[in-house]
Amino acid sequence: MLKFCTLFNSAYLSRGLAMYNSLLLHNEDFHLYILAFDSDCFFALSKLKLAHATIISLDEFENEDLLRVKAGRTAAEYCWTCASSSIKYCMETYSLDHCSYIDADMLFFSDPKVLYKEMEDAGKSVMITRHRYTPQFDQSETSGIYCVQYMTFKNNEAGMAVLNWWVDACMDWCYARFEDGKFGDQKYLDDWTSRFNCVHELEHLGGGVAPWNVQQYAFSRKDGQVTGRELATGQSFDLVFYHYHAFKYAWNNTFRLTDEQYTLTRSQVKQLYKPYVYALATSEDQIAERASDIASYKRSEEGVFISERLGRLLVFYLMGFYKKFYAKRFFSCGIFN
C-alpha cells in the first residue's frame, strides 16, 4: 500500500479533494493522511468520510516546536515549515513503513506506484523530484534545484536521519525569501544527493511536470491515458502527475491557470488543464452535497483588469480567455469540444 500525506486549508479544499479523487481513480491501494489547516477544512473533510483518508486537525498535529515558531512566520511560511514535520508525524503516529508528501494542487493521471518502485529498485530510502526548469524559467539559484511537491521517505535509519535533519533545519529557518543560500523549506534539498548516500533523484519524466518545465514536452491522450513526449529526445512517458502551481480561482467565474511568465500551448491547456477544471467541479459538488455551508475555494479578484478596457473584455468574452485567464465556460463550450 502507498502512504501519502498532504496539508491544506479550506481555500484549497476543492483542490485537495480533486487530488485525492485522482489518486483513487488510478490506485485503490493507498491511504492519504490529510492535515486540515483550519476548522472549516477539517469539518468538510470529516463529513465526506473518505474511505482512503485520515483527517488530522491542527490541534492533533502541532507540537511545542511548531507552536514556538508559528507566530513569527506567515501562513505560507508556516505551511512550508510543517511539510517535513507532517511526514514525521504520520510515520510515527501511524507506524508507517514509508510516507510520500504530496502537494494539494496536483492531479494524478496514472498510478504513482511506478515512482515508488523506481526508488525501491535504486535501493534508496529517500526520493526527491527535480524542478527540471525550462532554461528561460530557471530559478535554481533562488528557489532550488528540487521541488517540495512529491517526496518519499522510508521509516528506516537512513530515511529518518534525512527527515530529522530537514525538520530541524525548517524549525530553525523557513521564510519566503532567499537568504544565505536558503529559500523556504526547498533550497535545503539542493545538496542532499551528496550530503546523504540514501537519496534518489526521480528519473521518471512523468513525475514532476509543472508550468516551469511543461514547454519541454508534447502531450496526447489515448484511451484515457495522457502520454508525454520529451521534445529534445523524443522519449515517451506516461504522465503520472501534473503540479498546478499558481492556479487560482479568479475574477468573474474565471481561472488563472498559472503565473504569467510561463508559456502554455493550446494543446497543453486541453490535455492538462481541462481535466483539472472538470476535477475541481466534481469535488466542489461533493463538498456542497455534504457540507453546503463551507466554501470549497477562495476566489481572488485577479483578472479584474480585463474589464477595464473594452478591447480586452471583448477578446475575453469572444475567445473565452485572455492571457492566462480562462473563463469556466471555455472548457465546456470552447474550441476544445
Side-chain angles (χ1 to χ4, degrees):
M1 176 185 287
L2 296 178
K3 292 97 172 181
F4 301 97
C5 71
T6 190
L7 54 86
F8 54 87
N9 61 16
S10 54
Y12 271 66
L13 188 51
S14 63
R15 280 169 274 201
L17 182 57
M19 183 267 288
Y20 168 88
N21 287 338
S22 70
L23 269 175
L24 187 59
L25 181 64
H26 297 291
N27 184 322
E28 293 186 356
D29 192 25
F30 79 94
H31 200 84
L32 176 64
Y33 297 86
I34 304 174
L35 277 69
F37 261 52
D38 60 38
S39 57
D40 282 352
C41 185
F42 181 79
F43 175 80
L45 290 172
S46 298
K47 283 287 187 180
L48 288 167
K49 300 187 184 303
L50 305 174
H52 295 264
T54 296
I55 316 305
I56 304 162
S57 70
L58 268 184
D59 287 342
E60 295 174 90
F61 164 68
E62 288 178 316
N63 57 32
E64 290 183 4
D65 289 336
L66 287 169
L67 292 171
R68 174 175 48 81
V69 303
K70 186 175 184 177
R73 301 183 184 181
T74 66
E77 290 167 346
Y78 186 60
C79 283
W80 296 347
T81 303
C82 289
S84 54
S85 292
S86 69
I87 306 166
K88 183 176 180 178
Y89 174 88
C90 290
M91 287 207 290
E92 293 182 344
T93 303
Y94 301 102
S95 301
L96 309 182
D97 63 330
H98 76 277
C99 188
S100 297
Y101 170 83
I102 49 179
D103 275 342
D105 56 346
M106 303 196 318
L107 201 71
F108 287 88
F109 287 81
S110 60
D111 194 339
K113 69 182 180 183
V114 298
L115 308 184
Y116 186 80
K117 185 178 185 303
E118 182 182 307
M119 182 186 75
E120 284 272 85
D121 290 346
K124 301 294 185 177
S125 297
V126 178
M127 185 172 68
I128 54 179
T129 54
R130 199 178 186 95
H131 275 109
R132 300 193 190 113
Y133 288 115
T134 299
Q136 63 263 42
F137 306 128
D138 193 349
Q139 302 156 61
S140 300
E141 285 298 313
T142 55
S143 296
I145 299 169
Y146 301 97
C147 183
V148 178
Q149 60 183 345
Y150 190 111
M151 303 174 63
T152 301
F153 292 82
K154 286 188 176 181
N155 191 357
N156 58 24
E157 184 177 353
M160 292 306 295
V162 179
L163 181 57
N164 286 326
W165 182 94
W166 190 33
V167 168
D168 291 343
C170 290
M171 290 294 184
D172 183 58
W173 193 99
C174 188
Y175 299 97
R177 60 179 183 266
F178 179 71
E179 180 180 301
D180 297 330
K182 303 188 292 288
F183 177 81
D185 59 344
Q186 200 156 258
K187 282 287 285 179
Y188 290 122
L189 281 58
D190 278 7
D191 69 351
W192 277 14
T193 56
S194 57
R195 179 186 289 269
F196 305 104
N197 61 12
C198 64
V199 177
H200 175 69
E201 179 185 308
L202 181 69
E203 296 176 0
H204 196 303
L205 294 178
V209 183
W212 50 75
N213 62 35
V214 70
Q215 304 77 20
Q216 302 168 48
Y217 314 111
F219 295 92
S220 60
R221 179 185 292 268
K222 184 177 181 180
D223 299 327
Q225 175 62 54
V226 176
T227 300
R229 177 174 56 85
E230 189 176 30
L231 299 177
T233 65
Q235 179 181 348
S236 294
F237 58 91
D238 288 339
L239 178 62
V240 179
F241 69 82
Y242 187 85
H243 185 171
Y244 294 87
H245 168 77
F247 180 97
K248 289 188 177 181
Y249 288 84
W251 159 83
N252 197 23
N253 212 23
T254 299
F255 303 109
R256 188 192 78 167
L257 301 192
T258 189
D259 285 334
E260 188 169 334
Q261 63 178 314
Y262 301 125
T263 57
L264 299 170
T265 67
R266 191 64 56 83
S267 175
Q268 288 163 354
V269 174
K270 177 181 179 179
Q271 302 297 344
L272 304 175
Y273 285 85
K274 180 180 177 180
Y276 195 48
V277 170
Y278 281 23
L280 291 175
T282 298
S283 64
E284 290 161 24
D285 289 345
Q286 285 179 267
I287 294 161
E289 183 180 347
R290 294 294 185 91
S292 59
D293 53 336
I294 302 296
S296 60
Y297 57 85
K298 182 178 180 181
R299 188 177 297 281
S300 78
E301 287 301 302
E302 289 191 50
V304 71
F305 72 93
I306 294 171
S307 65
E308 294 172 355
R309 291 187 184 177
L310 182 60
R312 292 175 187 160
L313 196 58
L314 285 173
V315 168
F316 181 77
Y317 279 106
L318 290 174
M319 301 293 292
F321 66 93
Y322 182 82
K323 295 186 176 180
K324 292 297 187 301
F325 294 88
Y326 281 70
K328 188 174 184 178
R329 61 181 170 80
F330 175 85
F331 294 96
S332 57
C333 305
I335 61 173
F336 293 161
N337 300 278

